[in-house]
Amino acid sequence: QVQLVESGGGLVQPGGSLRLSCAASGSIVSINVMGWYRQAPGKERELVATITSGGTGTYADSVKGRFTISREAAAKNTVYLQMNSLKPEDTAVYYCGYRNWYKNFVEKWGQGTLVTVSS
């Protein structure tokens, strides 16, 4: 079993920044993908950014140039999402996800953390 613990959400003004963290523990495979997804009210959950255990990141077009995903250098089981130049449309519940690299679906979800961008 894999456990994911997220932190870092909150209220921020447009143009501001937040950093989300996701700590994974348990039966983590060495080759994996962790990422951030978000779900706004009335919308489907969407991918924001992912990063492999080797450090390769991918981003949704809507966040490219504003968000940066990274993994802790030492343990590599903690993933961060640095969000800059936040917009009201970034408001959503953000979920951390984990999967084995060889699988094409998220195996474990975090509990979610709310990010609200509003003046």
Side-chain angles (χ1 to χ4, degrees), residues 56-101:
T56 300
T58 60
Y59 298 90
D61 288 343
S62 59
V63 306
K64 282 181 181 176
R66 300 189 297 124
F67 291 9
T68 302
I69 191 168
S70 61
R71 295 183 79 133
E72 187 179 84
K76 297 187 178 180
N77 291 335
T78 298
V79 175
Y80 304 99
L81 185 69
Q82 178 66 42
M83 305 185 292
N84 298 328
S85 303
L86 283 161
K87 305 175 181 179
E89 51 263 44
D90 294 319
T91 295
V93 177
Y94 284 69
Y95 297 90
C96 180
Y98 162 91
R99 67 175 174 88
N100 184 314
W101 190 84

Side-chain angles (χ1 to χ4, degrees), residues 9-68:
L11 173 65
V12 63
Q13 292 186 342
S17 298
L18 278 177
R19 190 176 82 154
L20 305 182
S21 300
C22 174
S25 61
S27 303
I28 301 166
V29 298
S30 59
I31 304 175
N32 62 69
V33 181
M34 292 181 67
W36 289 96
Y37 303 75
R38 67 186 181 187
Q39 188 167 17
K43 294 187 176 181
E44 294 186 353
R45 190 172 299 188
E46 63 177 2
L47 183 147
V48 176
T50 63
I51 186 166
T52 67
S53 46
T56 300
T58 60
Y59 298 90
D61 288 343
S62 59
V63 306
K64 282 181 181 176
R66 300 189 297 124
F67 291 9
T68 302

